[in-house]
Amino acid sequence: MEYLSFELPIKELMDQYQTCSLVGEESGVDVKLACSQIEDKIRDTKKEIYGNLTPWQRVQLSRHPDRPYTLDYIKGMVDKGSFLELHGDRNFADDPALIGGLATLDGQRIMILGTQKGRTTKERQYRRFGMPNPEGYRKALRLMKLAEKFRIPVVTLVDTPGAYPGLEAEERGQGEAIARNIFEMTMLKTPIFTYIIGEGASGGALGIGVGNKVYMLENTWYTVIAPESCSSILWRNWDHKEDAANALNLTPADALREKFIDGIVEEPLGGAHYDPEVAYLNLKTSILQNIKAFSKFTGKELETHRQDKFIAMGQFKG
C-alpha cells in the first residue's frame, strides 16, 4: 500500500501494528490488548483525516496508484465471463485509452465503457494515461449507438485528466469528436448512466459524460480543468494548484450542491483502494437501481429527460 503525504500518520500506526503483531508471534507474549488499542487509534485517525479532506487532498486520492480503474470495476461488478470487449471506431483505429463492450449485471444486459489508465510505465504509455484520441470517442459513440439499437442501457465510467492533447489527435479532429459525442448523447434513446470513478476533467470527461443520471464516487473530482493546468494559466506555474483546487469547486459535494451531478456513491473509509470489493458493490447497486428506475421510460422520454437535465444547469438572460 502506498501512502500520500497527508496519510503518513496512518502509515506510522500501521507500522506500529505490524511490529506489535510480529513481537507477539516471535515472543509468544499476549499482545492482543496493545494491538487492539493501535487498531482503534488507526480507525480514529482515518476518520479524522478522511473526514476533513481539502479539495486538493481529494484530487490526490482520486489519483492514488492503487485505486481501481475502469477494467477493475468491470471485472469486479459484471457477471463472471460476461464482458465482451468491442474494438475499433470503424474509421481509423482502436484506442486503448477508452475501452467498452457488452456485459451482464445480475443478468441485466448493459453496454459499459470508460477511460482506462495503466499501472506500469509501459501500460501507462500504451493507455496514454487514460487520455483518449478522437478514435476513442468515435468508438464510444459506435458502441452507444449499438446499445440504442437493441435498447440496452449504457453505463460510462469516467477517469481521465482530459482528452489527449497531442498533434495527431488534433489532426484527426479531437474537438469535433468530443462535440459530436455530446450532441449525439443528448438524443440517444436508451438510458445513459455516468459515473466519475477518478478524475473527471474538461471535454475529455464530457465526451462520455452526458447521462440521464451522473454520479461521482466519494473521492473524485469533476471540473473544466485540472488544478495544475489552471494554476499554470493563471500564475504561470504549478505552485498554486491547491488554491486552484479550492476555487474550482471540484469536489463531489460542490458538484451536488450546484446540481451538476445527481448523487455521490460512497467509498470505503480512506478510498476505494482500501476495500475494492465494497467499492464494486456500491457502484453495482447504484447502476442496478438506476436501470430499474428508468426501465419504463420511452426513448423520447429518455431523450427529453437528458436534455432538460443539462439545459437546467445553465443560466440564461435575454
Side-chain angles (χ1 to χ4, degrees):
M1 172 75 73
E2 292 191 37
Y3 293 89
L4 303 171
S5 59
F6 62 88
E7 296 178 303
L8 291 180
I10 299 172
K11 181 182 185 302
E12 292 173 2
L13 289 169
M14 290 297 295
D15 291 341
Q16 290 179 24
Y17 179 79
Q18 291 173 0
T19 301
C20 180
S21 301
L22 187 61
V23 168
E25 292 175 4
E26 292 180 347
S27 65
V29 176
D30 187 358
V31 293
K32 289 183 179 178
L33 179 59
C35 289
S36 177
Q37 291 174 340
I38 296 174
E39 280 185 316
D40 291 341
K41 183 64 175 175
I42 291 171
R43 184 168 56 253
D44 292 342
T45 303
K46 281 185 176 181
K47 288 180 179 179
E48 181 181 353
I49 290 175
Y50 298 121
N52 298 281
L53 291 173
T54 67
W56 175 244
Q57 288 172 339
R58 210 169 288 278
V59 170
Q60 290 177 289
L61 265 186
S62 76
R63 298 169 175 170
H64 197 288
D66 296 326
R67 190 175 178 85
Y69 295 146
T70 293
L71 281 174
D72 298 315
Y73 279 102
I74 290 175
K75 292 174 183 176
M77 291 190 308
V78 306
D79 301 339
K80 188 175 181 180
S82 69
F83 179 58
L84 175 64
E85 186 174 357
L86 302 174
H87 298 273
D89 67 341
R90 302 297 186 268
N91 183 38
F92 180 78
D94 186 45
D95 187 357
L98 201 152
I99 57 96
L102 292 162
T104 58
L105 207 62
D106 284 357
Q108 167 67 52
R109 288 189 304 167
I110 60 171
M111 180 69 78
I112 187 165
L113 53 96
T115 43
Q116 174 66 26
K117 295 179 177 178
R119 300 209 179 274
T120 66
T121 300
K122 187 175 182 180
E123 188 179 353
R124 286 167 186 157
Q125 291 175 335
Y126 175 65
R127 302 282 186 185
R128 290 192 309 283
F129 298 87
M131 296 186 288
N133 268 329
E135 55 267 26
Y137 292 106
R138 289 168 182 143
K139 173 171 68 173
L141 181 57
R142 181 177 75 84
L143 299 188
M144 289 187 280
K145 285 288 190 179
L146 179 64
E148 179 185 45
K149 184 176 182 180
F150 296 99
R151 193 61 193 279
I152 299 172
V154 174
V155 177
T156 66
L157 306 181
V158 178
D159 185 11
T160 179
Y164 188 65
L167 178 62
E168 63 272 29
E170 297 301 329
E171 288 175 338
R172 296 198 292 273
Q174 185 72 285
E176 187 277 337
I178 294 172
R180 173 64 61 180
N181 274 27
I182 294 172
F183 173 73
E184 294 287 355
M185 289 180 78
T186 62
M187 299 189 295
L188 212 67
K189 293 178 173 57
T190 196
I192 307 174
F193 308 115
T194 295
Y195 292 85
I196 314 297
I197 62 170
E199 301 184 86
S202 191
L206 281 178
I208 56 169
V210 183
N212 292 98
K213 290 289 185 179
V214 179
Y215 289 82
M216 293 176 70
L217 269 64
E218 191 176 354
N219 295 303
T220 63
W221 61 276
Y222 187 33
T223 189
V224 69
I225 191 172
E228 296 92 336
S229 300
C230 179
S231 177
S232 68
I233 292 172
L234 296 180
W235 289 281
R236 304 301 180 188
N237 58 57
W238 284 13
D239 296 342
H240 295 270
K241 55 185 179 292
E242 294 185 44
D243 296 325
N246 291 333
L248 284 168
N249 289 334
L250 48 69
T251 69
D254 294 326
L256 185 61
R257 183 182 64 250
E258 298 294 338
K259 299 182 180 179
F260 295 149
I261 63 171
D262 300 286
I264 301 170
V265 179
E266 185 178 354
E267 294 185 27
L269 182 63
H273 56 286
Y274 269 101
D275 194 343
E277 294 301 324
V278 172
Y280 302 155
L281 179 60
N282 291 349
L283 182 57
K284 177 180 178 179
T285 300
S286 177
I287 293 170
L288 289 173
Q289 287 174 345
N290 278 306
I291 290 175
K292 183 178 180 180
F294 281 80
S295 61
K296 299 291 179 63
F297 279 54
T298 66
K300 185 61 180 178
E301 287 172 338
L302 289 166
E303 179 185 352
T304 301
H305 176 276
R306 201 177 304 119
Q307 291 175 5
D308 289 346
K309 169 185 171 61
F310 281 84
I311 289 171
M313 292 180 188
Q315 296 182 6
F316 300 91
K317 294 181 179 180

